[in-house]
Amino acid sequence: MGREVTPPVIIDSHGSLHVAAADVSKLLRGIGAHWLHLVERGGPELDEDTVAALAIELAKLADRIDVACIAHQTATAS
């Protein structure tokens, strides 16, 4: 099993949980990479094409999060 990672969580005054977007995008990419690693090792009943497609979609989602954060940061810095 892989190592356990706990991203920092902030609880606001309303009790809502917040996680840094960078941690979320890193987590999404890590999940995809882990799935691909399982396929490479001959994981039980894993369809390589399906796992690859899902990993790509997780990476795309992580990219969209990163782009949105960059756009937000650029807008607030102006």
Side-chain angles (χ1 to χ4, degrees):
M1 192 56 105
R3 65 187 177 109
E4 184 177 317
V5 177
T6 305
V9 176
I10 299 168
I11 303 172
D12 66 17
S13 60
H14 303 290
S16 297
L17 300 176
H18 300 272
V19 178
D23 290 333
V24 173
S25 60
K26 182 178 180 180
L27 175 65
L28 292 171
R29 287 187 180 93
I31 291 169
H34 179 69
W35 288 346
L36 292 171
H37 179 71
L38 290 175
V39 168
E40 289 171 359
R41 294 185 63 202
E45 300 181 23
L46 295 175
D47 178 70
E48 186 174 344
D49 292 336
T50 302
V51 170
L54 290 170
I56 288 168
E57 290 305 314
L58 287 178
K60 286 180 184 178
L61 178 56
D63 289 346
R64 288 195 301 272
I65 291 169
D66 291 344
V67 167
C69 289
I70 291 167
H72 177 74
Q73 186 63 29
T74 302
T76 58
S78 301

